[in-house]
Amino acid sequence: MFNNLKNKEQEELLPEHIGIIMDGNGRWAKQKGKPRIFGHKAGMDSLKDVAVHGARRGIKVMTVYAFSTENWTRPVDEVKFIMSLPIDFYSKYVPVLKEENIQIRMIGEREGLPKATLDSIDRAAQETSENDGMILNFAMNYGGRRDIILAIQELAKSGQDLSLLKEEELSKHLQTAVLPENLRDPDLIIRTSGEQRMSNFLTWQSAYSELYFAQTAWPDFDDKELDKAISAFQKRDRRYGGVK
């Protein structure tokens, strides 16, 4: 009985919103003597598996850093391939996600993204719009600092007195406003492949996120690795600057 109570308590401590910086695709491919795009394709397969497992665990939102505003500086061929991945993801995995009751959404600047890429994401969002399970939120052409700047610009254009601006008001104008209000800030952020930095991901929203850095490269990150990250989160003492 004690073990059952303990397991129930741990499940109640699940992170509701997980952010993932999917890092290490290129290095993973290089270690195998393959081109970088090979790693990005393998990473797409990992994303499907991790999303499905997260949904089954009861995670409510999973925001994945698919392409940052800084990623445009990568080689042209690599960028073109990354932009084709949502098209492949749509045809290969959206039926699976629909079956798993997962919703697709996107944050990031649409301007500059290829039409075919946007069309695939929009179709995926439309086709899963009636689902009410986990939200798989793609951060595409997204930058955390840019997110804040755009929100302030929008408020300024509306005539808002910025000298009276409150945190709650700014939060409503960030791109994560596409998410339910109580789920906009990630409880846990995972970064794979050993790097320990945020790389301009959800800069405002991650103020009190728990951080978990996995040594595993993203293409090798699976359901067991996600469980390890969740387990580590459940052991954290979240005080939000206060004292318990």
Side-chain angles (χ1 to χ4, degrees):
M1 182 177 177
F2 175 77
N3 286 338
N4 289 338
L5 288 172
K6 187 176 180 181
N7 291 338
K8 185 175 186 296
E9 186 179 85
Q10 283 191 323
E11 286 304 313
E12 290 173 351
L13 291 173
L14 276 175
E16 293 187 307
H17 181 174
I18 296 179
I20 304 180
I21 302 173
M22 306 179 292
D23 194 22
N25 292 338
R27 280 166 284 161
W28 180 87
K30 187 176 180 180
Q31 288 172 358
K32 295 181 178 300
K34 302 282 188 179
R36 289 177 59 86
I37 59 174
F38 181 79
H40 292 306
K41 189 174 187 309
M44 182 182 72
D45 297 334
S46 293
L47 174 56
K48 185 270 294 182
D49 293 340
V50 169
V52 168
H53 185 64
R56 291 178 178 176
R57 283 291 310 261
I59 305 305
K60 294 180 180 178
V61 177
M62 186 176 287
T63 297
V64 294
Y65 210 6
F67 191 84
S68 75
T69 50
E70 291 77 28
N71 287 156
W72 292 108
T73 61
R74 293 188 176 191
V76 173
D77 288 345
E78 182 177 351
V79 170
K80 285 182 178 178
F81 185 81
I82 293 172
M83 290 298 152
S84 73
L85 289 177
I87 302 169
D88 292 340
F89 191 87
Y90 170 81
S91 60
K92 191 174 181 181
Y93 291 134
V94 167
V96 177
L97 301 184
K98 286 176 67 176
E99 187 69 25
E100 294 289 337
N101 198 31
I102 293 172
Q103 312 170 55
I104 301 292
R105 296 190 192 173
M106 174 192 147
I107 58 173
E109 294 183 76
R110 296 174 65 88
E111 185 177 353
L113 291 173
K115 184 178 183 301
T117 303
L118 284 173
D119 286 348
S120 294
I121 296 172
D122 289 343
R123 284 201 306 272
Q126 178 60 37
E127 291 186 22
T128 61
S129 61
E130 294 185 5
N131 290 350
D132 59 6
M134 188 186 82
I135 297 170
L136 179 58
N137 184 36
F138 286 87
M140 196 83 182
N141 195 23
Y142 176 85
R145 289 182 174 181
R146 179 74 173 155
D147 191 5
I148 297 168
I149 291 295
L150 290 173
I152 292 172
Q153 289 175 346
E154 183 179 316
L155 285 161
K157 288 176 184 176
S158 71
Q160 174 93 19
D161 184 349
L162 297 182
S163 67
L164 301 175
L165 183 61
K166 296 182 178 180
E167 290 185 10
E168 295 80 5
E169 187 65 23
L170 178 60
S171 182
K172 290 177 184 177
H173 287 80
L174 295 171
Q175 293 171 29
T176 40
V178 301
L179 302 172
E181 187 174 356
N182 63 323
L183 296 173
R184 291 172 183 168
D185 296 345
D187 302 296
L188 170 66
I189 292 181
I190 300 167
R191 181 170 188 147
T192 60
S193 199
E195 301 292 351
Q196 298 187 21
R197 57 180 177 271
M198 292 295 292
S199 295
N200 204 17
F201 180 56
L202 298 177
T203 305
W204 174 277
Q205 299 88 337
S206 64
Y208 277 99
S209 301
E210 297 294 325
L211 307 180
Y212 179 87
F213 300 108
Q215 294 300 314
T216 308
W218 176 247
D220 287 332
F221 196 89
D222 57 14
D223 54 353
K224 294 182 180 61
E225 290 288 338
L226 181 61
D227 286 342
K228 283 170 60 178
I230 292 173
S231 179
F233 171 86
Q234 291 171 327
K235 294 179 176 67
R236 305 279 177 92
D237 183 14
R238 307 187 77 200
R239 297 186 299 276
Y240 299 97
V243 176
K244 291 184 179 179

